[in-house]
Amino acid sequence: MTSNPQVERPSRNELGRVLFKTKAMSSDWAPTFAAVDRAAFLPDLIWPWDMETGTSVAVDRTTDPDGWYAAVDSNQPIVTQWDDGEHSGTAPGRVSTSSSSAPSVNYGLFQDLGADEGMNVLDVATGTGETAGALYHRCVGSRGRGRVTTIEIDRTVSMRARERLCAAGLYPDVVEGDGFKGYADHGPYDRVLATVGLRESPGAWLSQIRKGGIIVAPWGTHYSNADAVLRLRANGGVALGHFTRPVEFMKIRAQRSPRRPHAEYVPAGTFAKADTSTTAITESEFITGRYTALPFALGLRVPHCVQAVADARDGARPVWFYGLGDRSWACVMFREGEETRVWQSGPRRLWDDVEAAFRWWQKQGRPTHDRFGLTVTPDGQEAWLDTPGDSWPV
């Protein structure tokens, strides 16, 4: 494997120290961090993603090399493709569709995965190729005892990743294909890692992993973008395990949330005809912020529902709920100093379901992500709290 002359950048060394100090990266992964430089896998034009504001501004290495390296050596995600490659120009596109995850997230996933020298690993969603490169360095290295296969559905993204991996002296097997289906030709695997968000854990992975093998993937529901890292242990066609911590990932293409145009649910003149009520739940109780457990828990308990939280304006904040599979909808209007009003319409009373789930979550002691778990079989998946004994389908 070749070394990259840029790995001694002071800003990159400082990033490594921060990752180690915050325990995002364990000491045994430090050699991989030192050898596999994020900069070697990124294009000249990138869009660093500001997690606080949810905005992105382009940075071009050809015109602003200092700004480019500062972004690369920061602990933030970087968008490398918009709109499945149909985007052009420097302004952000509509939907980010390929990226480089924040280093703290990547190395946290590696710790959950427990991959080691000599293992056979499947990496789902190649992206820039950095994750596959890190796994290759860890599992194969100079001894060549393990194997890493990385699969990517986008041909252009896959080709560019292969080129950058080879230039860095890292040689995982780069496959173009649908990661949701896995890659049986190189199985059975000791580990499967997905760096793309899932709404359903693929049954194909269960048939391609060894008994006792580990699957790690960001997982969530259509209810919101509140995902969590899922760590499953395989056992003869079944896999189960707890969630470890909250994350947000772009979703695998086959499981992106369907668009729900508001006007199709609430045509003009129909809002006034909805059933009305009130709720004692306050805005501060319900709108808990990013990476908090409540949205994730509600997604587990309220199936086939999408939540949309609007910005507060003039002391009022509406929260909308849309049914998947029918045209049920609900709206909760939080207003400062006033009783919270509720409107509902359609075959389901979505707010009633959400409020029941909220009360359940309170009764259980407001559980955090790591108290929840998932059991996956070829026939489906079930969520549970603390232990698999009392589970429900999701």
Side-chain angles (χ1 to χ4, degrees), residues 1-7 9 12 31-47 61 68-69 71-73 78-81 98-101 103 106-107 110 123 125-138 148 150 152 156-172 174:
M1 290 179 288
T2 61
S3 61
N4 189 316
Q6 294 291 344
V7 297
R9 295 186 304 277
R12 187 167 189 274
T32 295
F33 176 83
V36 182
D37 185 2
R38 189 188 200 189
F41 297 91
L42 295 176
D44 287 342
L45 182 60
I46 59 176
W47 291 266
R61 175 162 46 181
W68 191 89
Y69 278 108
V72 169
D73 293 338
I78 294 175
V79 178
T80 55
Q81 184 198 68
S98 191
S99 69
S100 169
S101 300
N106 264 348
Y107 280 89
F110 294 155
D123 170 53
T126 307
T128 66
E130 180 192 1
T131 301
L135 290 170
Y136 182 89
H137 181 274
R138 173 80 171 193
V148 174
T150 182
E152 168 65 49
T156 300
V157 170
S158 180
M159 290 174 57
R160 290 174 178 170
R162 184 195 299 272
E163 292 169 358
R164 290 169 181 144
L165 284 161
C166 290
L170 301 163
Y171 303 102
V174 182

Side-chain angles (χ1 to χ4, degrees), residues 41-254:
F41 297 91
L42 295 176
D44 287 342
L45 182 60
I46 59 176
W47 291 266
W49 184 262
D50 189 316
M51 297 297 292
E52 295 296 323
T53 64
T55 59
S56 189
V57 177
V59 181
D60 193 329
R61 175 162 46 181
T62 61
T63 57
D64 183 12
D66 290 342
W68 191 89
Y69 278 108
V72 169
D73 293 338
S74 67
N75 187 30
Q76 63 180 334
I78 294 175
V79 178
T80 55
Q81 184 198 68
W82 297 92
D83 305 326
D84 296 328
E86 297 179 0
H87 167 267
S88 61
T90 59
R94 187 177 65 85
V95 179
S96 57
T97 50
S98 191
S99 69
S100 169
S101 300
S104 60
V105 173
N106 264 348
Y107 280 89
L109 291 172
F110 294 155
Q111 291 187 69
D112 288 334
L113 190 67
D116 214 338
E117 183 180 351
M119 287 188 176
N120 185 19
V121 180
L122 175 64
D123 170 53
V124 176
T126 307
T128 66
E130 180 192 1
T131 301
L135 290 170
Y136 182 89
H137 181 274
R138 173 80 171 193
C139 299
V140 181
S142 59
R143 299 184 183 184
R145 293 173 54 192
R147 185 174 196 174
V148 174
T149 301
T150 182
I151 186 167
E152 168 65 49
I153 197 169
D154 187 303
R155 173 174 295 182
T156 300
V157 170
S158 180
M159 290 174 57
R160 290 174 178 170
R162 184 195 299 272
E163 292 169 358
R164 290 169 181 144
L165 284 161
C166 290
L170 301 163
Y171 303 102
D173 296 296
V174 182
V175 176
E176 179 191 338
D178 185 353
F180 192 74
K181 299 178 181 178
Y183 193 69
D185 289 1
H186 291 176
Y189 300 100
D190 300 295
R191 299 289 188 268
V192 175
L193 173 65
T195 52
V196 63
L198 301 177
R199 295 293 177 253
E200 177 185 346
S201 298
W205 298 358
L206 298 182
S207 64
Q208 296 173 22
I209 193 165
R210 299 181 190 276
K211 184 176 182 179
I214 301 296
I215 298 171
V216 172
W219 188 97
T221 66
H222 287 303
Y223 182 84
S224 71
N225 287 327
D227 294 352
V229 177
L230 176 62
R231 188 179 191 272
L232 299 170
R233 183 176 293 276
N235 185 13
V238 176
L240 73 160
H242 278 89
F243 296 94
T244 63
R245 61 190 176 281
V247 290
E248 287 184 6
F249 268 77
M250 59 185 63
K251 308 306 176 282
I252 197 167
R253 294 191 182 189

